Amino acid sequence: MRILLTAALLAATSLPVSAQNWKDDYRIVRIGITSSENEADRMKRYEPWKAYMEKTLGVEVELFTAGSYDGIIQALAADQIEVASVGSSAYAAAYTETNGGVVPLLASQEMSGATGYYSVIITRCDGPYKKIEDLKGKAVAFADPDSTSGYAVPFYNLVQQGFNPNEYFGSVTFSGSHEAGVQGVVAGSFDAAATYISDIDGKDGVPVRMVNKGMIKDGEVCKIWTSPEITNGPITVRANLPQDLVAAIKDAYMKAPEADPVAFQSISGGDTSNKKAMSKSITSAINGSLKCVIG
């Protein structure tokens, strides 16, 4: 995905008064990473970002991984992590779980100017399933109960289109991650699975990244259903953090494309060539995300 970090709605009024020096209380800043891919690849991809954040914040940074999206939500609720990049559905779940104890800090924008992505249902390209109607009575996998593109959006839209997954498909299961769902389709464990693409043409997203990593072959999976555009979810911080720490985290994310292009690209696949676009503000991104989840 070619994304650009951009300022969204920072609800500063909900943040506590800044400590005299946040580093006195936060000698370690912990970043939560969701389970859209296998843990080994997650950790490897985030190492440059960890190094960048340590250098920028001036404190130790730890990466926190969980086997499910709910693990990140619970970690935010239990004050076990300070920041995480989550989808709209996971943000809404975290907001509910913490009784408003999380704050949307930043959203992202594509180089094209788009502020969203798409959920897709994929099947084997050489299989018999070419449209949703072909999946009646078949085994379909969703990624995670708290995944926006891997569950909430496709489930809701399929119901609206007359294909209630619990009634129309033969079985519905959670694969645990986007990559696991795609691998299950390739292996024949599932007839179809929900995942996401970053642009309508499918030039980036989970299937393309898996091809690039050698996890699946090019042309093994094809999309047979695409959702309406989903507004990008927010980089989220706990609402009880000192304002100076929140400002430092926000500043680090905003400066990353120019300050450390390698670290920026490692977590986003972002293109750092368009500096003007990178500074563009998206004031409606967070509202759009929440509206997408709520209705």
Side-chain angles (χ1 to χ4, degrees):
M1 183 192 304
R2 291 153 55 92
I3 70 172
L4 303 170
L5 296 174
T6 56
L9 297 179
L10 173 58
T13 56
S14 67
L15 296 171
V17 176
S18 173
Q20 185 173 1
N21 187 345
W22 63 265
K23 294 181 183 180
D24 292 338
D25 296 321
Y26 293 88
R27 298 182 181 182
I28 300 176
V29 171
R30 299 156 296 182
I31 301 175
I33 308 173
T34 56
S35 58
S36 61
E37 62 186 332
N38 66 83
E39 185 167 357
D41 285 348
R42 274 185 287 169
M43 296 301 290
K44 180 179 179 180
R45 186 162 60 86
Y46 266 81
E47 278 303 318
W49 185 254
K50 176 178 180 292
Y52 165 73
M53 291 294 282
E54 286 182 334
K55 179 181 178 180
T56 304
L57 296 179
V59 297
E60 183 180 349
V61 170
E62 290 183 354
L63 302 178
F64 178 92
T65 63
S68 67
Y69 284 55
D70 187 60
I72 297 298
I73 294 168
Q74 296 303 322
L76 285 166
D79 290 353
Q80 293 178 337
I81 58 176
E82 281 67 60
V83 58
S85 179
V86 297
S88 306
S89 182
Y91 176 81
Y95 188 90
T96 300
E97 181 69 23
T98 61
N99 294 315
V102 293
V103 175
L105 189 61
L106 299 167
S108 59
Q109 180 184 16
E110 309 297 328
M111 284 292 292
S112 65
T115 59
Y117 60 113
Y118 302 87
S119 172
V120 293
I121 303 294
I122 57 98
T123 64
R124 284 191 63 98
C125 296
D126 61 3
Y129 315 117
K130 307 303 179 184
K131 54 186 183 299
I132 287 296
E133 288 83 353
D134 297 335
L135 293 177
K136 185 173 184 178
K138 304 303 178 182
V140 177
F142 292 100
D144 184 284
D146 292 306
S147 171
T148 305
S149 60
Y151 179 63
V153 166
F155 194 98
Y156 173 82
N157 280 279
L158 286 170
V159 169
Q160 297 304 303
Q161 294 170 14
F163 304 101
N164 187 321
N166 292 330
E167 299 172 359
Y168 196 80
F169 303 143
S171 65
V172 171
T173 189
F174 291 107
S175 62
S177 73
H178 288 266
E179 287 187 348
V182 176
Q183 286 180 314
V185 169
V186 172
S189 302
F190 313 125
D191 296 306
T195 186
Y196 72 83
I197 56 176
S198 302
D199 57 86
I200 195 65
D201 296 325
K203 295 179 180 178
D204 191 20
V206 173
V208 172
R209 294 177 188 180
M210 291 178 70
V211 169
N212 292 339
K213 291 191 292 184
M215 298 178 68
I216 62 173
K217 296 177 182 178
D218 189 18
E220 279 195 304
V221 298
C222 292
K223 59 184 175 74
I224 64 169
W225 179 89
T226 305
S227 75
E229 185 178 281
I230 306 167
T231 304
N232 290 332
I235 294 167
T236 301
V237 296
R238 299 200 329 256
N240 59 3
L241 297 179
Q243 287 187 25
D244 285 352
L245 172 54
V246 173
I249 292 172
K250 177 183 177 181
D251 190 57
Y253 273 89
M254 290 294 296
K255 290 181 177 178
E258 293 188 54
D260 194 333
V262 172
F264 172 71
Q265 291 173 346
S266 74
I267 65 165
S268 68
D271 188 332
T272 60
S273 63
N274 190 334
K275 302 299 189 296
K276 183 178 180 180
M278 276 187 281
S279 64
K280 190 175 181 180
S281 175
I282 309 175
T283 58
S284 62
I286 298 303
N287 279 343
S289 296
L290 298 183
K291 183 178 180 181
C292 174
V293 174
I294 296 170

